[in-house]
Amino acid sequence: MIITFRIDDKEKSEFEQFCNSVGITPSAALSLFIRKTITTKRIPFDISNDERSLAEKEEIKTAVASKKAIEEAVMKFANLMSELNKFSEMLKIKAK
């Protein structure tokens, strides 16, 4: 069977050079890719797109914002506890 597809001349040349350097033909390399895909029932390398990384970046931004909000709430709580302790001490002094 013959499969034909278009590829950039520079990429074709680089692919041929790589294949020659490892001692196989471009046809053999593509056959290996096809066999591996069939036997593992998956593309033999990870594929991702910018949308995924954008989603991950948004999750990080949200997490950072949440962390800041929690830190601010903890500081407010600590300040309120300090004020409450001062008020409690003032009431003790007045009660005596």
Side-chain angles (χ1 to χ4, degrees), residues 59-75:
E59 287 178 19
I60 291 169
K61 284 181 187 177
T62 301
V64 168
S66 297
K67 180 180 181 255
K68 287 180 182 177
I70 290 168
E71 289 171 346
E72 289 173 8
V74 167
M75 288 302 295

Side-chain angles (χ1 to χ4, degrees), residues 18-37:
F18 168 77
C19 290
N20 288 334
S21 74
V22 295
I24 60 174
T25 65
S27 179
L30 293 172
S31 292
L32 289 169
F33 168 79
I34 291 168
R35 280 190 219 121
K36 184 72 169 181
T37 301

